[in-house]
Amino acid sequence: MSKITYAEAIRDALRIEMKRDKGIFIAGEDVGKFGGTFGACKNLLQEFGPERVLNMPISETVIIGLGVGAAAVGMRPCVEIMYCDFIGICLDEIMNQASKMRYMFGGKAKIPMVLRTSYGAGVRGAAQHSQSLEAILAHVPGLKVVMPSNCADVKGLLASSIRDDNPVMFLEHKVLYSLKEVCPEGEYLVPLGKANICLSGNDVTIVTWGLMVQKALKAAQILKKQQINCEVIDIRTLVPLDKETIFESVKKTNRVVIVHEAPKTCGFGAEIAALISDECFEYLDGPIKRVTAPDCIIPFAPNLEDAYMPDENKIANAVIGLNQ
């Protein structure tokens, strides 16, 4: 075990997997000499050469088109879209090609492609570089959607995603790149589709993912001082979703707060709330609450962006309201 940053954990996973399998390559804007916008690919060009670390033009369509084609003929591309805000440019390649080819060819064509991209507000990126668009991707059958919240998980989930035979959308929060934590050394895998109970408690279940896991754990510490013991669940993968872990927690606590950074309307939290209502309604002692960003465009002004973001105080207040 060693202490490394979230970005370094990504790089560690990429390096180990590329050494293990020569069919894995990286492609994206500035991933070569520059090492990627957030430094996650630093020094990989020097180690693996320009045939496996491809610096691409500013064309998301070309980057994802390359990935889909390479995956279809047996390679394992790990392609990068600098900001998830730009997935609209290559949405045809993602939702009409990558997601559907295995089904449409009767399983003869596999698309073992990982699409890495950054998401989220909190770094003063303004409206076009700060969105959380996971719900759009989770809505497309055939795609897996992964959103790690810590250094160990980003390493283990990325390695598992690279080894998966299906297209995986791998979303990394920009605020987390500088997070420094203890992380397992060497080859390390975290299975897709398995949630993590970050904190055990009996009074309320907080379901969340990505950066909001860190906020939820801080909220739990605030609430503990008021004798409210929270169970914090990091779902880690939106698709496949480990609903069984969520349901078992709901049966124990009987109260649920769902937290995500994306706007409330049609956010992925609504899907989780619907699943709980459909399959666990009899265990609820109160309404399902959501703590989210408002349904508005992300502002650039620092004070407005801070007000936009869900935080530990907003989460704690929602839990207190539910327990009154």
Side-chain angles (χ1 to χ4, degrees):
M1 304 285 280
S2 60
K3 209 169 188 180
I4 59 175
T5 67
Y6 189 94
E8 290 169 337
I10 293 167
R11 181 163 67 249
D12 202 22
L14 290 170
R15 178 182 290 112
I16 291 169
E17 293 304 303
M18 290 176 77
K19 285 182 177 179
R20 184 187 60 81
D21 185 344
K22 292 183 178 180
I24 299 168
F25 70 90
I26 297 168
E29 299 166 17
D30 291 331
V31 298
K33 187 177 180 181
F34 190 63
T37 303
F38 301 99
C41 296
K42 189 177 180 180
N43 298 325
L44 294 180
L45 173 64
Q46 293 89 322
E47 186 170 355
F48 296 100
E51 291 186 354
R52 296 187 67 193
V53 182
L54 282 66
N55 232 27
M56 299 296 289
I58 304 175
S59 175
E60 286 75 16
T61 299
V62 169
I63 295 168
I64 304 305
L66 166 70
V68 174
V73 296
M75 301 191 77
R76 290 186 176 271
C78 191
V79 294
E80 180 180 321
I81 299 298
M82 194 178 291
Y83 296 97
C84 82
D85 310 71
F86 305 148
I87 63 169
I89 301 169
C90 51
L91 205 53
D92 179 62
E93 286 77 12
I94 295 171
M95 68 179 290
N96 286 329
Q97 307 304 329
S99 66
K100 295 177 173 61
M101 286 180 72
R102 188 171 187 177
Y103 171 81
M104 293 180 72
F105 287 97
K108 294 181 179 179
K110 297 177 182 178
I111 309 296
M113 178 187 79
V114 175
L115 189 161
R116 289 184 49 247
T117 189
S118 68
Y119 77 97
V123 295
R124 315 314 184 203
Q128 297 173 329
H129 297 77
S130 302
Q131 295 171 91
S132 300
L133 301 177
E134 64 268 21
I136 293 174
L137 298 169
H139 188 68
V140 180
L143 300 179
K144 296 187 176 183
V145 182
V146 181
M147 299 181 73
S149 68
N150 59 68
C151 296
D153 280 355
V154 78
K155 177 178 179 177
L157 288 167
L158 181 54
S160 293
S161 298
I162 291 171
R163 298 185 189 192
D164 199 283
D165 285 336
N166 301 285
V168 179
M169 308 293 105
F170 199 88
L171 280 67
E172 306 154 5
H173 201 289
K174 292 186 283 292
V175 169
L176 291 174
Y177 283 118
S178 59
L179 176 70
K180 196 167 188 177
E181 294 179 324
V182 171
C183 184
E185 296 178 0
E187 188 174 301
Y188 179 65
L189 297 171
V190 174
L192 305 186
K194 182 61 180 174
N196 179 35
I197 300 175
C198 303
L199 184 67
S200 294
N202 297 308
D203 296 326
V204 62
T205 298
I206 302 176
V207 182
T208 187
W209 55 93
L211 176 65
M212 291 298 112
V213 173
Q214 306 290 337
K215 305 292 186 183
L217 290 171
K218 289 179 180 178
Q221 294 306 310
I222 294 172
L223 292 161
K224 190 174 182 180
K225 296 175 183 177
Q226 302 187 38
Q227 280 69 54
I228 299 174
N229 294 311
C230 301
E231 182 142 292
V232 178
I233 297 178
D234 177 3
I235 62 171
R236 300 199 285 201
T237 62
L238 282 66
V239 183
L241 178 66
D242 180 7
K243 61 181 185 179
E244 289 76 18
T245 295
I246 297 171
F247 293 166
E248 286 304 311
S249 181
V250 172
K251 291 174 183 178
K252 178 173 67 170
T253 67
N254 312 120
R255 293 177 174 85
V256 186
V257 174
I258 302 167
V259 183
H260 62 72
E261 185 180 324
K264 178 176 283 188
T265 301
C266 297
F268 194 74
E271 176 63 24
I272 296 174
L275 284 169
I276 294 169
S277 295
D278 285 345
E279 303 184 43
C280 267
F281 183 78
E282 65 270 28
Y283 293 97
L284 293 172
D285 286 344
I288 299 170
K289 294 293 186 180
R290 286 178 287 165
V291 179
T292 72
D295 292 332
C296 71
I297 294 167
I298 301 166
F300 174 70
N303 60 327
L304 294 178
E305 185 182 26
D306 291 344
Y308 170 92
M309 291 281 285
D311 62 20
E312 54 268 30
N313 293 316
K314 293 176 183 178
I315 298 168
N317 288 337
V319 171
I320 291 168
L322 193 58
N323 279 268
Q324 287 177 343

